[in-house]
Amino acid sequence: LKLKSGIRGMEYEYEDDAYMICPVRNASEEEKRFLKWYKKKLKKKGFRVHYPAIDTVQEDETKGYRICMDHCREISRAKTVHVYWNGKSSGSYVDLGTSLLEHYKRGMEILLINRRTVKKIVEQQEKDGLKKSYEMVLMHLDSLAKSKTRIG
């Protein structure tokens, strides 16, 4: 992350346009195919994309600590975060927490890749009387995002 001066004031130069939060360790084959396609689609549009399953070394002698620290650094160096939400992915919760801090500190945009799926989950949660959830937070963050890196 480098600071560069711009006409409108201070702007940052990011290493990646988008960091993908998604299942890695327990991703299904279908999810892996879709996420590779998604990264390829963003790259075709000229965006620099970080997909942890491919772009972060997954072998870790510290039993996951180094991977968590790598993800924190990678997220902090990205302009936006794109979330493929699967509530069964424990690593996604860690990455979402890091992204929320970046959203709070610098207004990082966080948008959903699988918005329709998350919207259905939220609709069911609301029918069940649930008042708050990670999925609800993600829907709210997605509604705030104006990113040019959005697909569809």
Side-chain angles (χ1 to χ4, degrees):
L1 185 65
K2 290 189 270 182
L3 189 61
K4 65 177 184 175
S5 60
I7 296 171
R8 296 184 191 142
M10 303 310 263
E11 296 177 12
Y12 290 97
E13 191 174 296
Y14 298 97
E15 287 185 17
D16 293 302
D17 296 302
Y19 176 93
M20 294 169 59
I21 292 178
C22 55
V24 173
R25 185 180 35 193
N26 296 317
S28 70
E29 290 305 313
E30 182 182 344
E31 287 172 323
K32 289 176 190 176
R33 277 191 302 277
F34 175 80
L35 292 164
K36 285 177 186 175
W37 170 86
Y38 186 84
K39 177 182 178 171
K40 188 176 180 180
K41 185 116 171 151
L42 279 175
K43 284 184 77 171
K44 275 187 177 179
K45 292 178 89 175
F47 297 114
R48 296 166 298 177
V49 184
H50 189 95
Y51 172 34
I54 295 172
D55 302 319
T56 303
V57 175
Q58 294 299 314
E59 293 79 31
D60 186 353
E61 292 178 12
T62 65
K63 303 182 192 278
Y65 173 78
R66 187 206 34 86
I67 292 172
C68 289
M69 295 301 100
D70 287 352
H71 287 202
C72 287
R73 186 181 61 258
E74 294 154 358
I75 290 167
S76 72
R77 294 176 178 176
K79 188 172 185 177
T80 63
V81 165
H82 293 223
V83 181
Y84 180 94
W85 189 249
N86 176 334
K88 294 176 184 171
S89 171
S90 57
S92 293
Y93 289 92
V94 174
D95 294 345
L96 179 59
T98 301
S99 301
L100 285 167
L101 179 59
E102 293 297 322
H103 173 75
Y104 175 76
K105 288 185 346 187
R106 62 178 168 96
M108 171 187 263
E109 291 190 335
I110 301 170
L111 53 112
L112 279 164
I113 296 171
N114 57 336
R115 188 177 200 287
R116 282 188 214 123
T117 301
V118 175
K119 186 176 181 184
K120 286 179 187 175
I121 293 168
V122 168
E123 287 169 353
Q124 186 60 53
Q125 290 172 338
E126 289 172 340
K127 281 181 189 173
D128 295 342
L130 198 61
K131 301 285 187 213
K132 56 188 173 190
S133 69
Y134 284 101
E135 292 81 9
M136 291 175 189
V137 170
L138 285 164
M139 288 298 293
H140 180 72
L141 289 164
D142 185 75
S143 74
L144 298 174
K146 310 278 188 254
S147 180
K148 293 178 180 158
T149 58
R150 186 182 296 275
I151 295 177

